[in-house]
């Protein structure tokens, strides 16, 4: 195969300790690929990233790659997390359409053709929207993802239903743009949307994890949520200023109120403590405004440091 030539489709799968799932995953995936993408004019590839698995996953993947030349395995030296694993594979992809999915069979490979068809229609990003998530995903797993979805909708301004679903398809341009981002922590679905012109969602089936346990504990989820919040908005920093303004204003109002009370009831008992509170609130508010201002600068520094591409030129049109 000519390494310079673009392929039609790349499938990207991050793997972390998934030895129980790999055989079924590969069986179902290869069946889908051979059935739906058999056209030799539309070559495909599958890239697995082994994200530092400590079980037999890597050996199994290498076996698959030995038997099927269209499969490649990117081996990480240790565990870096799902999103880094996907990036590791992105750096290798040659397809014009890139599809990511989880290895635990929660994302049925049978849905891939649906997503690919949407990208062929001209969408840059196609998200899967999981139907019927009433499964045994525990409360601690679904509740955070609801929050993730809500926050992401807010911060990115793109109203999708399901940001957590990693069964997604991207055009090559979007993946290229994501690879140019220098930041360390990133949340791929949100990052992709910030580089896409046409975004859509298709309903996809959703199953329970076939085997093994979710690799996300509460701590990893909290981390992911912070990644999301801090990489896509300066909202937390700006909240500081808002809080400061409100506190200072309330302090000032209390001060005015006390003054008025004094005038109306000159015989009233001493309110020195309340006056002190009023003054204190006012100054606490001012301090928060100052924090907020500092935060504003830090936020800007952070944005610069991330060094995301400001824009991506798709093509320069001119007369040939
Ligand atoms: N994964 C990974 N590195 C990690 C954690 C997870 O590559 O540190 C992979 C994992 O093997 C799976 C996918 O990311 O293919 C999703 O993980 P998981 O099913 O545990 O997440 P959940 O479905 O609970 O969100
Ligand atoms: Mg899963």
């Amino acid at each position: 195969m000519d390494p310079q030539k673009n392929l039609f489709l790349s499938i990207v799968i991050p793997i972390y300790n998934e030895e129980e799932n790999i055989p079924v995953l590969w069986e179902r995936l290869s069946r889908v690929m051979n059935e739906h993408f058999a056209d030799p004019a539309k070559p495909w590839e599958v890239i697995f990233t082994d994200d530092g698995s400590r079980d037999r996953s890597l050996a199994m993947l290498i076996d698959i790659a030995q038997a099927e030349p269209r499969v490649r395995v990117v081996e990480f030296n240790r565990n870096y997390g799902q999103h880094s694993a996907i990036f590791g594979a992105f750096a290798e992809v040659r397809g014009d359409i890139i599809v990511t999915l989880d290895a635990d069979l929660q994302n049925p490979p049978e849905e891939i053709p649906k997503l690919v068809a949407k990208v062929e229609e001209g969408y840059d990003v196609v998200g899967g929207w999981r139907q019927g998530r009433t499964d045994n995903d525990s409360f601690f797993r679904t509740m955070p993802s609801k929050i993730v979805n809500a926050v992401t909708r807010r911060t990115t301004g793109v109203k999708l239903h399901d940001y957590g679903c990693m069964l997604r398809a991207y055009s090559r341009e979007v993946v290229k743009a994501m690879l140019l981002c220098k930041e360390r922590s990133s949340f791929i679905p949100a990052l992709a949307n910030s580089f896409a012109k046409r975004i859509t969602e298709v309903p996809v089936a959703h199953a329970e994890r076939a085997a093994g346990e979710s690799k996300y504990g509460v701590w990893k989820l909290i981390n992911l949520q912070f990644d999301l919040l801090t990489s896509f908005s300066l909202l937390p920093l700006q909240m500081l200023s808002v809080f400061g303004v409100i506190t200072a204003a309330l302090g000032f109002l209390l001060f005015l109120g006390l003054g008025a009370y004094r005038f109306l009831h000159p015989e009233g008992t001493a309110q020195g403590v309340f006056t002190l509170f009023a003054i204190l609130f006012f100054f606490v508010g001012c301090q928060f405004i100052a924090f907020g201002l500092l935060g504003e600068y830090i936020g800007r520094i952070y944005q610069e440091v991330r060094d995301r591409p400001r824009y991506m030129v798709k093509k320069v049109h001119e007369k040939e």
Side-chain angles (χ1 to χ4, degrees), residues 30-69:
S30 52
R31 189 172 339 118
V32 172
M33 300 311 287
N34 289 323
E35 265 172 28
H36 293 266
F37 305 104
D39 183 355
K42 292 180 167 186
W44 52 264
E45 64 179 351
V46 177
I47 302 182
F48 291 103
T49 305
D50 174 65
D51 187 16
S53 300
R54 274 181 287 266
D55 61 3
R56 288 181 301 121
S57 298
L58 177 63
M60 296 167 89
L61 294 176
I62 291 175
D63 280 347
I64 294 175
Q66 295 295 338
E68 169 59 72

Tab-separated table of all heavy atoms in Angstrom, residues 30-69:
chain	number	residue	atom	x	y	z
A	30	SER	N	-14.231	-6.615	12.520
A	30	SER	CA	-13.729	-7.031	11.206
A	30	SER	C	-14.885	-7.487	10.318
A	30	SER	O	-14.854	-7.300	9.101
A	30	SER	CB	-12.666	-8.123	11.342
A	30	SER	OG	-13.140	-9.175	12.136
A	31	ARG	N	-15.929	-8.060	10.945
A	31	ARG	CA	-17.084	-8.446	10.133
A	31	ARG	C	-17.727	-7.202	9.509
A	31	ARG	O	-18.004	-7.155	8.308
A	31	ARG	CB	-18.104	-9.213	10.970
A	31	ARG	CG	-19.175	-9.787	10.092
A	31	ARG	CD	-20.167	-10.741	10.754
A	31	ARG	NE	-19.746	-11.361	11.990
A	31	ARG	CZ	-20.389	-11.172	13.150
A	31	ARG	NH1	-21.425	-10.360	13.225
A	31	ARG	NH2	-19.983	-11.796	14.224
A	32	VAL	N	-17.911	-6.152	10.327
A	32	VAL	CA	-18.501	-4.911	9.810
A	32	VAL	C	-17.638	-4.335	8.696
A	32	VAL	O	-18.135	-3.943	7.634
A	32	VAL	CB	-18.664	-3.871	10.937
A	32	VAL	CG1	-19.076	-2.524	10.375
A	32	VAL	CG2	-19.668	-4.353	11.963
A	33	MET	N	-16.332	-4.296	8.926
A	33	MET	CA	-15.439	-3.684	7.947
A	33	MET	C	-15.484	-4.462	6.634
A	33	MET	O	-15.540	-3.868	5.553
A	33	MET	CB	-13.991	-3.647	8.460
A	33	MET	CG	-13.790	-2.866	9.734
A	33	MET	SD	-14.516	-1.227	9.726
A	33	MET	CE	-13.412	-0.345	8.657
A	34	ASN	N	-15.452	-5.784	6.743
A	34	ASN	CA	-15.426	-6.572	5.510
A	34	ASN	C	-16.752	-6.559	4.781
A	34	ASN	O	-16.806	-6.686	3.558
A	34	ASN	CB	-14.981	-7.998	5.822
A	34	ASN	CG	-13.508	-8.029	6.169
A	34	ASN	OD1	-12.708	-7.280	5.585
A	34	ASN	ND2	-13.135	-8.845	7.132
A	35	GLU	N	-17.837	-6.401	5.526
A	35	GLU	CA	-19.143	-6.370	4.869
A	35	GLU	C	-19.428	-5.029	4.222
A	35	GLU	O	-19.863	-4.943	3.078
A	35	GLU	CB	-20.251	-6.672	5.887
A	35	GLU	CG	-20.648	-8.131	5.910
A	35	GLU	CD	-21.592	-8.424	7.057
A	35	GLU	OE1	-22.334	-7.493	7.471
A	35	GLU	OE2	-21.584	-9.567	7.553
A	36	HIS	N	-19.185	-3.951	4.977
A	36	HIS	CA	-19.620	-2.632	4.510
A	36	HIS	C	-18.553	-1.859	3.760
A	36	HIS	O	-18.855	-0.938	3.024
A	36	HIS	CB	-20.103	-1.789	5.685
A	36	HIS	CG	-21.355	-2.315	6.311
A	36	HIS	ND1	-22.604	-1.863	5.947
A	36	HIS	CD2	-21.540	-3.265	7.252
A	36	HIS	CE1	-23.506	-2.513	6.658
A	36	HIS	NE2	-22.894	-3.372	7.456
A	37	PHE	N	-17.290	-2.215	3.994
A	37	PHE	CA	-16.234	-1.440	3.354
A	37	PHE	C	-15.332	-2.359	2.545
A	37	PHE	O	-14.113	-2.294	2.627
A	37	PHE	CB	-15.448	-0.653	4.401
A	37	PHE	CG	-16.325	0.229	5.247
A	37	PHE	CD1	-16.649	-0.127	6.548
A	37	PHE	CD2	-16.858	1.402	4.723
A	37	PHE	CE1	-17.474	0.684	7.324
A	37	PHE	CE2	-17.688	2.211	5.494
A	37	PHE	CZ	-18.000	1.853	6.792
A	38	ALA	N	-15.973	-3.208	1.762
A	38	ALA	CA	-15.213	-4.186	0.987
A	38	ALA	C	-14.669	-3.584	-0.309
A	38	ALA	O	-13.748	-4.135	-0.914
A	38	ALA	CB	-16.096	-5.387	0.677
A	39	ASP	N	-15.209	-2.446	-0.725
A	39	ASP	CA	-14.799	-1.804	-1.971
A	39	ASP	C	-13.306	-1.488	-1.936
A	39	ASP	O	-12.854	-0.700	-1.111
A	39	ASP	CB	-15.613	-0.509	-2.116
A	39	ASP	CG	-15.303	0.200	-3.412
A	39	ASP	OD1	-14.400	-0.267	-4.147
A	39	ASP	OD2	-15.970	1.216	-3.688
A	40	PRO	N	-12.493	-2.117	-2.845
A	40	PRO	CA	-11.046	-1.879	-2.802
A	40	PRO	C	-10.684	-0.428	-3.106
A	40	PRO	O	-9.589	0.030	-2.767
A	40	PRO	CB	-10.488	-2.828	-3.863
A	40	PRO	CG	-11.653	-3.298	-4.655
A	40	PRO	CD	-12.897	-3.084	-3.869
A	41	ALA	N	-11.599	0.321	-3.708
A	41	ALA	CA	-11.322	1.731	-3.977
A	41	ALA	C	-11.459	2.561	-2.706
A	41	ALA	O	-11.110	3.732	-2.692
A	41	ALA	CB	-12.290	2.259	-5.035
A	42	LYS	N	-12.013	1.945	-1.675
A	42	LYS	CA	-12.184	2.666	-0.412
A	42	LYS	C	-11.470	1.928	0.710
A	42	LYS	O	-12.095	1.323	1.580
A	42	LYS	CB	-13.673	2.785	-0.076
A	42	LYS	CG	-14.440	3.695	-1.021
A	42	LYS	CD	-15.890	3.758	-0.606
A	42	LYS	CE	-16.616	4.895	-1.312
A	42	LYS	NZ	-17.977	5.064	-0.810
A	43	PRO	N	-10.121	1.988	0.715
A	43	PRO	CA	-9.359	1.221	1.704
A	43	PRO	C	-9.527	1.779	3.121
A	43	PRO	O	-9.760	2.958	3.298
A	43	PRO	CB	-7.915	1.384	1.243
A	43	PRO	CG	-7.903	2.621	0.434
A	43	PRO	CD	-9.263	2.782	-0.161
A	44	TRP	N	-9.406	0.881	4.078
A	44	TRP	CA	-9.539	1.297	5.477
A	44	TRP	C	-8.388	0.780	6.304
A	44	TRP	O	-7.581	-0.028	5.846
A	44	TRP	CB	-10.861	0.817	6.065
A	44	TRP	CG	-11.141	-0.648	5.888
A	44	TRP	CD1	-11.888	-1.209	4.888
A	44	TRP	CD2	-10.682	-1.743	6.693
A	44	TRP	NE1	-11.924	-2.565	5.037
A	44	TRP	CE2	-11.207	-2.923	6.138
A	44	TRP	CE3	-9.904	-1.836	7.844
A	44	TRP	CZ2	-10.953	-4.189	6.683
A	44	TRP	CZ3	-9.650	-3.097	8.391
A	44	TRP	CH2	-10.191	-4.254	7.803
A	45	GLU	N	-8.307	1.274	7.531
A	45	GLU	CA	-7.313	0.782	8.480
A	45	GLU	C	-7.916	0.857	9.879
A	45	GLU	O	-8.873	1.589	10.112
A	45	GLU	CB	-6.038	1.631	8.433
A	45	GLU	CG	-6.296	3.059	8.872
A	45	GLU	CD	-5.055	3.949	8.877
A	45	GLU	OE1	-3.948	3.425	8.696
A	45	GLU	OE2	-5.213	5.158	9.069
A	46	VAL	N	-7.365	0.048	10.766
A	46	VAL	CA	-7.771	0.102	12.171
A	46	VAL	C	-6.520	0.371	12.985
A	46	VAL	O	-5.497	-0.287	12.795
A	46	VAL	CB	-8.414	-1.215	12.638
A	46	VAL	CG1	-8.749	-1.150	14.128
A	46	VAL	CG2	-9.664	-1.527	11.827
A	47	ILE	N	-6.574	1.384	13.856
A	47	ILE	CA	-5.424	1.677	14.708
A	47	ILE	C	-5.828	1.514	16.157
A	47	ILE	O	-6.738	2.185	16.643
A	47	ILE	CB	-4.904	3.104	14.461
A	47	ILE	CG1	-4.529	3.252	12.994
A	47	ILE	CG2	-3.698	3.383	15.352
A	47	ILE	CD1	-3.971	4.590	12.642
A	48	PHE	N	-5.167	0.584	16.831
A	48	PHE	CA	-5.385	0.411	18.268
A	48	PHE	C	-4.268	1.150	18.997
A	48	PHE	O	-3.115	1.079	18.576
A	48	PHE	CB	-5.281	-1.072	18.657
A	48	PHE	CG	-6.398	-1.929	18.128
A	48	PHE	CD1	-6.204	-2.765	17.033
A	48	PHE	CD2	-7.641	-1.920	18.751
A	48	PHE	CE1	-7.225	-3.583	16.561
A	48	PHE	CE2	-8.669	-2.740	18.287
A	48	PHE	CZ	-8.462	-3.562	17.194
A	49	THR	N	-4.612	1.833	20.081
A	49	THR	CA	-3.554	2.333	20.958
A	49	THR	C	-3.588	1.506	22.218
A	49	THR	O	-4.625	1.421	22.876
A	49	THR	CB	-3.782	3.802	21.346
A	49	THR	OG1	-3.926	4.559	20.161
A	49	THR	CG2	-2.604	4.330	22.155
A	50	ASP	N	-2.462	0.900	22.541
A	50	ASP	CA	-2.394	0.208	23.817
A	50	ASP	C	-1.892	1.205	24.847
A	50	ASP	O	-0.739	1.604	24.847
A	50	ASP	CB	-1.438	-0.990	23.745
A	50	ASP	CG	-1.293	-1.595	25.127
A	50	ASP	OD1	-2.297	-2.111	25.641
A	50	ASP	OD2	-0.196	-1.501	25.702
A	51	ASP	N	-2.812	1.615	25.719
A	51	ASP	CA	-2.535	2.680	26.668
A	51	ASP	C	-1.927	2.103	27.944
A	51	ASP	O	-2.477	2.244	29.027
A	51	ASP	CB	-3.859	3.404	26.958
A	51	ASP	CG	-3.675	4.644	27.815
A	51	ASP	OD1	-2.536	5.103	27.936
A	51	ASP	OD2	-4.677	5.135	28.355
A	52	GLY	N	-0.796	1.435	27.786
A	52	GLY	CA	-0.098	0.900	28.958
A	52	GLY	C	-0.835	-0.225	29.666
A	52	GLY	O	-0.790	-0.299	30.895
A	53	SER	N	-1.500	-1.094	28.915
A	53	SER	CA	-2.227	-2.196	29.559
A	53	SER	C	-1.266	-3.093	30.322
A	53	SER	O	-0.136	-3.319	29.889
A	53	SER	CB	-2.934	-3.051	28.501
A	53	SER	OG	-3.838	-2.278	27.783
A	54	ARG	N	-1.753	-3.634	31.439
A	54	ARG	CA	-0.909	-4.542	32.203
A	54	ARG	C	-1.355	-5.991	32.024
A	54	ARG	O	-0.786	-6.885	32.619
A	54	ARG	CB	-0.951	-4.162	33.681
A	54	ARG	CG	0.072	-3.085	34.014
A	54	ARG	CD	0.019	-2.759	35.483
A	54	ARG	NE	-1.179	-1.999	35.789
A	54	ARG	CZ	-1.223	-0.676	35.835
A	54	ARG	NH1	-0.129	0.012	35.597
A	54	ARG	NH2	-2.337	-0.033	36.116
A	55	ASP	N	-2.357	-6.211	31.201
A	55	ASP	CA	-2.774	-7.598	30.968
A	55	ASP	C	-2.273	-8.047	29.587
A	55	ASP	O	-1.331	-7.478	29.054
A	55	ASP	CB	-4.298	-7.736	31.115
A	55	ASP	CG	-5.038	-6.870	30.117
A	55	ASP	OD1	-4.367	-6.213	29.292
A	55	ASP	OD2	-6.282	-6.849	30.155
A	56	ARG	N	-2.930	-9.009	28.993
A	56	ARG	CA	-2.435	-9.538	27.722
A	56	ARG	C	-2.905	-8.728	26.512
A	56	ARG	O	-2.708	-9.140	25.369
A	56	ARG	CB	-2.866	-11.001	27.577
A	56	ARG	CG	-2.099	-11.958	28.505
A	56	ARG	CD	-2.564	-13.378	28.290
A	56	ARG	NE	-3.992	-13.526	28.555
A	56	ARG	CZ	-4.887	-13.959	27.674
A	56	ARG	NH1	-4.511	-14.307	26.473
A	56	ARG	NH2	-6.171	-14.042	28.003
A	57	SER	N	-3.542	-7.578	26.745
A	57	SER	CA	-4.113	-6.808	25.636
A	57	SER	C	-3.111	-6.560	24.507
A	57	SER	O	-3.396	-6.819	23.339
A	57	SER	CB	-4.625	-5.456	26.133
A	57	SER	OG	-5.650	-5.634	27.063
A	58	LEU	N	-1.914	-6.076	24.882
A	58	LEU	CA	-0.950	-5.699	23.854
A	58	LEU	C	-0.584	-6.891	22.977
A	58	LEU	O	-0.596	-6.803	21.745
A	58	LEU	CB	0.311	-5.101	24.501
A	58	LEU	CG	1.409	-4.730	23.520
A	58	LEU	CD1	0.947	-3.638	22.565
A	58	LEU	CD2	2.669	-4.286	24.252
A	59	ALA	N	-0.301	-8.021	23.625
A	59	ALA	CA	0.075	-9.209	22.864
A	59	ALA	C	-1.054	-9.611	21.918
A	59	ALA	O	-0.811	-9.977	20.757
A	59	ALA	CB	0.393	-10.353	23.821
A	60	MET	N	-2.287	-9.505	22.401
A	60	MET	CA	-3.424	-9.880	21.553
A	60	MET	C	-3.535	-8.947	20.361
A	60	MET	O	-3.798	-9.374	19.227
A	60	MET	CB	-4.724	-9.846	22.372
A	60	MET	CG	-4.743	-10.872	23.492
A	60	MET	SD	-6.085	-10.573	24.644
A	60	MET	CE	-7.376	-11.505	23.879
A	61	LEU	N	-3.325	-7.656	20.603
A	61	LEU	CA	-3.418	-6.684	19.505
A	61	LEU	C	-2.334	-6.943	18.477
A	61	LEU	O	-2.563	-6.881	17.263
A	61	LEU	CB	-3.289	-5.262	20.053
A	61	LEU	CG	-4.426	-4.806	20.964
A	61	LEU	CD1	-4.135	-3.412	21.523
A	61	LEU	CD2	-5.759	-4.803	20.216
A	62	ILE	N	-1.124	-7.240	18.969
A	62	ILE	CA	-0.022	-7.492	18.042
A	62	ILE	C	-0.341	-8.717	17.184
A	62	ILE	O	-0.089	-8.725	15.970
A	62	ILE	CB	1.302	-7.653	18.810
A	62	ILE	CG1	1.687	-6.298	19.411
A	62	ILE	CG2	2.404	-8.164	17.903
A	62	ILE	CD1	2.895	-6.313	20.303
A	63	ASP	N	-0.941	-9.735	17.817
A	63	ASP	CA	-1.349	-10.921	17.047
A	63	ASP	C	-2.308	-10.542	15.927
A	63	ASP	O	-2.184	-11.008	14.784
A	63	ASP	CB	-2.036	-11.941	17.960
A	63	ASP	CG	-1.017	-12.752	18.749
A	63	ASP	OD1	0.177	-12.676	18.379
A	63	ASP	OD2	-1.407	-13.435	19.714
A	64	ILE	N	-3.261	-9.683	16.261
A	64	ILE	CA	-4.238	-9.260	15.246
A	64	ILE	C	-3.518	-8.540	14.108
A	64	ILE	O	-3.758	-8.792	12.924
A	64	ILE	CB	-5.312	-8.340	15.869
A	64	ILE	CG1	-6.150	-9.115	16.882
A	64	ILE	CG2	-6.201	-7.733	14.787
A	64	ILE	CD1	-7.151	-8.259	17.633
A	65	ALA	N	-2.586	-7.648	14.491
A	65	ALA	CA	-1.875	-6.871	13.471
A	65	ALA	C	-1.006	-7.764	12.589
A	65	ALA	O	-0.791	-7.478	11.406
A	65	ALA	CB	-1.030	-5.794	14.141
A	66	GLN	N	-0.490	-8.868	13.174
A	66	GLN	CA	0.317	-9.798	12.380
A	66	GLN	C	-0.534	-10.458	11.302
A	66	GLN	O	-0.078	-10.710	10.190
A	66	GLN	CB	0.902	-10.904	13.267
A	66	GLN	CG	1.899	-10.427	14.305
A	66	GLN	CD	3.146	-9.860	13.664
A	66	GLN	OE1	3.454	-10.172	12.529
A	66	GLN	NE2	3.849	-9.003	14.372
A	67	ALA	N	-1.780	-10.742	11.647
A	67	ALA	CA	-2.646	-11.470	10.721
A	67	ALA	C	-3.335	-10.548	9.725
A	67	ALA	O	-3.768	-10.993	8.670
A	67	ALA	CB	-3.691	-12.255	11.522
A	68	GLU	N	-3.472	-9.280	10.062
A	68	GLU	CA	-4.238	-8.368	9.210
A	68	GLU	C	-3.411	-7.094	8.984
A	68	GLU	O	-3.265	-6.275	9.883
A	68	GLU	CB	-5.591	-8.024	9.897
A	68	GLU	CG	-6.366	-6.900	9.279
A	68	GLU	CD	-6.737	-7.129	7.839
A	68	GLU	OE1	-7.611	-7.950	7.568
A	68	GLU	OE2	-6.142	-6.445	6.956
A	69	PRO	N	-2.872	-6.939	7.762
A	69	PRO	CA	-1.969	-5.808	7.511
A	69	PRO	C	-2.649	-4.444	7.637
A	69	PRO	O	-1.964	-3.431	7.749
A	69	PRO	CB	-1.482	-6.058	6.081
A	69	PRO	CG	-2.435	-7.038	5.495
A	69	PRO	CD	-3.009	-7.833	6.621
